Amino acid sequence: MKRKPLVNGLLIVLALLLVVGMAYQFVPSLSGGGAGGLFGRQTGTPALRVDGATVTVEELEAARRSNPVLASTDTGLLGDDFKTYVVSQSVRRALYTQAASDINVSRQDVDAEVKKFREARSLTDNKAWTDALQGAGLTDAAYRTQVRDQLAVQRKVESLQKDVPAATTAEAQTYYDLNQSQYQSDARIVGRQIVVADRAKADALLTQARAQGADFAALASANSTEFKDRGGALGPVENGSPRPVAQVALPTEVGAAAFALQSGGVTDVIPSGGKFYIVKVERYLAPATRPFSEVSAQVQATVTQQKKDAVVEKWLDGLQKDAKIEYVDPAWKVENPTVATVSGQNIPYADVVEQVVNNQQIAQIFQQLPAEQVAGLVNTGLKPQIVQQLISGYAAPAIAEKLKLDLVGTRQEIASALSAYGARDVKVADSDVQAFYRQNVAQFETPGSATVDEASFATHTQAEAFRTDWDGQGEFVAAATRAGGTVSERGAVTSGDQKLGTELETAVFGPNLRSVGEGSLSPVVPAGQRFSVAYVTDLKRATTQPLSAVRAQIEEQVLASKKSEAGQKFIAEQVAALKPTNRLQTVLDAQAKRVAAAAPKTTTPATGTGTPATGTPATGTPATETPAEGGSTSGSGAATQTPATETPATGTPATETPTTPSTP
């Protein structure tokens, strides 16, 4: 039995509680014993009490260890942030569990969930089950208690959502109007194909198919290995015409070539999967928005779910707003000041930290930089972005109400709808498409490829003589060796893959090849102190897809970009009118002062000169006073030493610093 995957699977299931699409972690204790459940039912050292329920130090430490980002540091600014995150999440979990304490979950319900879990992971053997539990620091009783809590919260949420009224027609219509791109049909073609296994035969059939008056259906019936019984029709024939098909009905290369013919026509011979395809496009059907009447049921279901999400969000907000938190262990006391205010709502700093921890780029950056440098990037780049997004989210319901829009859902769902509303009139002009194509033409290029053997000679004269004299008879390797060359089989190469030297690659994919035998010889080029000539076979020249073939792709990309820009601008203008207050810098300054005051003071060892040791940090940075700008937090001192961890090494090259992580 592979114990580690089983333990990981157990932890994952224990750690995730899905509430209206948002994951709230139930992190089990990984400390010794594991006797009991979460929040007051597990022995340990009390850290805090949430409305009377105890959260232990062991639980908090286990939560920190369970997340690689949280476990990366427990000191400095990020260590303070991560402690805030662990405490705030633990407070939430305690509140949710207590709020669901009135929900009845029978022993049979718990047994059914445990049985389902064990069967899904081949843990029906009691020893395997016990081993997996012990690996997670749990007993069977503790696990069942946590399953009971999870089921109770899920049922509490379901009970809250049960009485939410269905979306009205007006709400559904508004959502549809702002999200029509979600209800578009795929592009389709009406067409026929000829598929054969021989390239020469395919080339001959292509010539016939393109001849004036050619009957493509008859050619397909007589020659194609696929759909010959219906004249090569891509879709079933109905009323004498093939049914339209989407691009996924064809192999990738074939579909790309066929769907590029938006004005109709016959493709070239397209090799794919050992076969050769020719497609005749009789009619191209562009993507179109499906009418509201056709998708109304789907839209209503989406909007109704958003209304259910909003009810749960309001419930969760209420639990946190009224919570009474008592810090038993001073080491786990955290500051959670208001970082911004908008529309009479205060945004807690813990909301910012939560998005920092959940940002996927943070874990990657921790692998490249020390924590103090990551903190600098996060504080100057990521946190300001997050705060602006949170302000927009908290302001969204007020903006929608002011504009008299029938928008529903969570704060972020309403903010997304407002962005769509602000961008509702954005269009893409032909000039936009052409400009994008010119500026990004490399995106639509397929690099050249070939199979290459390289013969290296001591002198240019030898190499040139071989290139001139060899007529393609016999093997290249043997012929070049007889002529005094050293042969290297480079194999399959692609332009730009750096398998060849720069000059040889230019020669291989350049215009001056000499045809010999089944391939071509490149011009002679210098290769260090020697001279090389390449034998090139299976050559495929680089190609660039024409604008007509990628127009739809570009239009979609440009439209999305323009809508995003317009939507963000619209929300920014609406939010500005509400005059929000952003206190992020004040909060960060106060945090830096508090963390510095709490950091152990380091001293420089006395030297032989008799100079007394001072309180100067190890880096040599003199102690400085950093006054907080505005509202101070508890624990701040009047004068503190700036910790060395906050000053990156001056010798760090700029190129080694990754870009600031962005918010999703």
Side-chain angles (χ1 to χ4, degrees):
M1 179 182 69
K2 295 183 179 179
R3 182 177 176 186
K4 186 173 181 181
L6 293 176
V7 171
N8 289 341
L10 180 64
L11 290 175
I12 289 170
V13 171
L14 288 174
L16 295 180
L17 171 63
L18 298 179
V19 182
V20 296
M22 298 176 288
Y24 296 96
Q25 294 178 326
F26 268 76
V27 182
S29 173
L30 301 182
S31 58
L38 290 176
F39 310 120
R41 289 190 293 274
Q42 179 174 336
T43 59
T45 306
L48 57 139
R49 293 190 178 92
V50 183
D51 288 345
T54 299
V55 179
T56 68
V57 171
E58 288 78 8
E59 290 176 80
L60 296 173
E61 291 289 0
R64 178 151 56 187
R65 291 194 304 269
S66 69
N67 184 314
V69 172
L70 300 177
S72 61
T73 183
D74 60 359
T75 61
L77 296 178
L78 286 179
D80 189 69
D81 279 349
F82 294 166
K83 183 170 72 171
T84 297
Y85 175 82
V86 169
V87 170
S88 67
Q89 294 297 305
S90 297
V91 167
R92 286 184 184 180
R93 291 190 291 272
L95 290 171
Y96 303 158
T97 302
Q98 291 179 81
S101 61
D102 61 328
I103 300 297
N104 179 53
V105 178
S106 69
R107 176 175 295 181
Q108 290 76 15
D109 293 335
V110 174
D111 289 344
E113 287 297 317
V114 173
K115 181 181 179 183
K116 186 191 307 181
F117 175 79
R118 292 178 63 174
E119 289 177 347
R121 286 157 184 81
S122 301
L123 291 172
T124 53
D125 176 74
N126 286 335
K127 185 178 186 309
W129 174 238
T130 302
D131 288 345
L133 286 170
Q134 289 178 347
L138 293 167
T139 64
D140 182 76
Y143 175 69
R144 289 173 184 275
T145 297
Q146 294 173 12
V147 169
R148 184 269 165 205
D149 289 343
Q150 177 175 333
L151 290 173
V153 175
Q154 288 175 338
R155 291 179 184 181
K156 183 70 173 181
V157 168
E158 291 168 0
S159 71
L160 292 169
Q161 294 179 327
K162 181 179 61 176
D163 298 326
V164 173
T168 65
T169 301
E171 291 166 344
Q173 183 69 58
T174 298
Y175 183 88
Y176 170 81
D177 291 342
L178 297 177
N179 297 276
Q180 292 191 15
S181 61
Q182 296 182 22
Y183 304 105
Q184 283 202 333
S185 62
D186 293 329
R188 295 170 298 159
I189 59 171
V190 175
R192 300 175 185 272
Q193 68 178 5
I194 297 173
V195 185
V196 295
D198 181 72
R199 177 63 191 244
K201 182 176 182 179
D203 288 337
L205 287 169
L206 177 63
T207 300
Q208 296 178 56
R210 286 178 169 171
Q212 188 172 2
D215 187 337
F216 193 94
L219 286 173
S221 294
N223 298 279
S224 183
T225 60
E226 298 181 16
F227 305 148
K228 64 189 305 177
D229 58 331
R230 61 192 196 200
L234 296 175
V237 177
E238 298 175 346
N239 300 322
S241 178
R243 181 189 297 171
V245 298
Q247 189 166 337
V248 294
L250 296 166
T252 303
E253 306 90 339
V254 181
F259 276 74
L261 300 177
Q262 296 184 14
S263 299
V266 178
T267 67
D268 292 329
V269 173
I270 311 296
S272 178
K275 302 175 183 178
F276 300 91
Y277 292 75
I278 304 169
V279 178
K280 180 179 182 180
V281 178
E282 298 175 358
R283 190 156 46 102
Y284 175 83
L285 304 174
T289 302
R290 298 161 67 189
F292 178 72
S293 59
E294 184 179 319
V295 296
S296 60
Q298 181 182 348
V299 178
Q300 289 243 352
T302 298
V303 179
T304 298
Q305 184 59 54
Q306 288 189 338
K307 296 179 74 170
K308 291 181 177 181
D309 294 350
V311 166
V312 177
E313 182 179 67
K314 185 177 180 180
W315 174 65
L316 301 179
D317 287 347
L319 291 178
Q320 295 180 84
K321 180 181 179 182
D322 299 331
K324 294 179 181 178
I325 304 171
E326 175 191 355
Y327 292 96
V328 180
D329 185 345
W332 281 98
K333 188 178 188 303
V334 299
E335 301 291 339
N336 189 19
T338 294
V339 75
T341 302
V342 63
S343 299
Q345 300 176 89
N346 294 329
I347 304 173
Y349 182 62
D351 282 12
V352 180
V353 176
E354 179 179 356
Q355 292 201 30
V356 170
V357 173
N358 292 328
N359 187 287
Q360 295 181 351
Q361 299 177 52
I362 292 297
Q364 299 173 9
I365 294 177
F366 262 115
Q367 297 175 5
Q368 304 173 46
L369 294 174
E372 63 270 18
Q373 291 190 34
V374 177
L377 289 172
V378 167
N379 283 356
T380 59
L382 183 57
K383 285 180 182 176
Q385 295 178 42
I386 291 173
V387 171
Q388 289 301 325
Q389 286 190 356
L390 288 171
I391 289 174
S392 297
Y394 273 78
I399 295 171
E401 183 178 356
K402 175 180 136 184
L403 297 175
K404 295 180 170 55
L405 298 175
D406 289 313
L407 304 180
V408 298
T410 63
R411 289 185 288 265
Q412 288 304 320
E413 286 170 341
I414 294 176
S416 296
L418 283 173
S419 177
Y421 178 79
R424 65 194 182 282
D425 296 326
V426 171
K427 306 293 181 186
V428 176
D430 184 65
S431 58
D432 296 327
V433 175
Q434 294 189 32
F436 184 92
Y437 182 76
R438 288 194 304 271
Q439 295 164 11
N440 301 276
V441 68
Q443 291 185 20
F444 310 110
E445 292 178 349
T446 301
S449 62
T451 300
V452 176
D453 291 329
E454 177 185 359
S456 171
F457 296 87
T459 68
H460 185 279
T461 301
Q462 281 181 298
E464 193 62 61
F466 172 73
R467 182 178 189 269
T468 301
D469 296 342
W470 189 53
D471 59 2
Q473 297 298 314
E475 293 290 330
F476 171 78
V477 174
T481 301
R482 284 195 302 271
T486 300
V487 178
S488 300
E489 297 181 359
R490 301 299 183 186
V493 301
T494 300
S495 177
D497 65 7
Q498 299 183 343
K499 288 185 178 179
L500 304 176
T502 302
E503 292 187 80
L504 185 60
E505 179 179 299
T506 300
V508 166
F509 295 107
N512 299 318
L513 298 178
R514 172 178 171 256
S515 296
V516 290
E518 297 180 353
S520 304
L521 290 174
S522 74
V524 176
V525 297
Q529 301 300 313
R530 297 174 67 84
F531 298 87
S532 292
V533 57
Y535 181 52
V536 184
T537 56
D538 305 320
L539 176 64
K540 294 181 181 178
R541 297 288 184 184
T543 59
T544 301
Q545 292 178 278
L547 177 58
S548 60
V550 295
R551 177 177 291 277
Q553 174 186 340
I554 292 176
E555 286 178 346
E556 182 178 348
Q557 192 169 344
V558 173
L559 181 62
S561 177
K562 293 183 71 173
K563 279 183 172 290
S564 176
E565 182 179 349
Q568 290 176 16
K569 181 180 178 182
F570 172 78
I571 290 181
E573 292 171 349
Q574 295 295 320
V575 169
L578 297 175
K579 296 183 170 32
T581 302
N582 186 337
R583 302 185 184 89
L584 175 63
Q585 193 56 54
T586 298
V587 170
L588 294 180
D589 290 343
Q591 181 196 37
K593 184 176 181 179
R594 184 180 68 254
V595 170
K601 303 301 185 291
T602 57
T603 58
T604 303
T607 64
T609 60
T611 303
T614 67
T616 305
T619 57
T621 305
T624 60
E625 293 188 6
T626 309
E629 299 178 8
S632 62
T633 57
S634 62
S636 298
T640 62
Q641 290 182 327
T642 303
T645 56
E646 292 308 303
T647 306
T650 56
T652 303
T655 55
E656 293 299 318
T657 302
T659 56
T660 301
S662 58
T663 55

